[in-house]
Amino acid sequence: MRDGIQNAIIESAVLTRADHNLLSAWLHIDYGGSGQGFGGYSLYIPKSFTHHTLESVAGHFIFRVLEIADVEEWSKLKGKTIRAHVENGLVEGIGHIVRDDWFFPADDFKRFADAEDVSAGKK
């Protein structure tokens, strides 16, 4: 592909944790006869990495949903079986269908907000 500005059509968009179990996003673009990928940046580093920090609630939410459903791409979520923790008619959390692995966003995001308060000297 030649350098410079090119018109392109997005053929697909993928959120994935396939590459080294890091959250990343890809756009597959078509220039009209040829195509290429754009993305691949690490958007979230999971807890299994020693240098993990919760810096992105969006990245954490997306990654944990992929992890709970045991898929590598967002497009593969449809049809997956999970467990739902319902309280007062609301789904408060989701869990892996077999493993004891639960995701309660309100709890995780509260810890994130509390950690930010501490680092900003608010507590």
Side-chain angles (χ1 to χ4, degrees), residues 109-120:
F109 297 161
K110 171 131 180 41
R111 285 193 296 270
F112 173 68
D114 291 347
E116 281 208 328
D117 287 347
V118 168
S119 68

Side-chain angles (χ1 to χ4, degrees), residues 33-44:
S34 67
Q36 154 172 55
F38 169 77
Y41 296 95
S42 174
L43 303 176
Y44 178 76

Side-chain angles (χ1 to χ4, degrees), residues 42-104:
S42 174
L43 303 176
Y44 178 76
I45 299 171
K47 290 187 297 188
S48 59
F49 286 71
T50 56
H51 55 287
H52 163 81
T53 58
L54 181 55
E55 295 180 6
S56 165
V57 293
H60 183 72
F61 183 91
I62 292 165
F63 187 87
R64 287 295 286 144
V65 168
L66 291 170
E67 197 171 41
I68 292 298
D70 208 12
V71 297
E72 292 183 343
E73 296 180 6
W74 196 259
S75 61
K76 307 267 194 249
L77 287 170
K78 184 176 180 178
K80 295 301 288 185
T81 304
I82 61 171
R83 295 182 286 172
H85 184 273
V86 181
E87 285 188 28
N88 299 318
L90 298 173
V91 178
E92 299 287 335
I94 59 172
H96 188 275
I97 192 63
V98 177
R99 294 189 312 260
D100 186 23
D101 186 9
W102 287 90
F103 173 43
F104 290 89

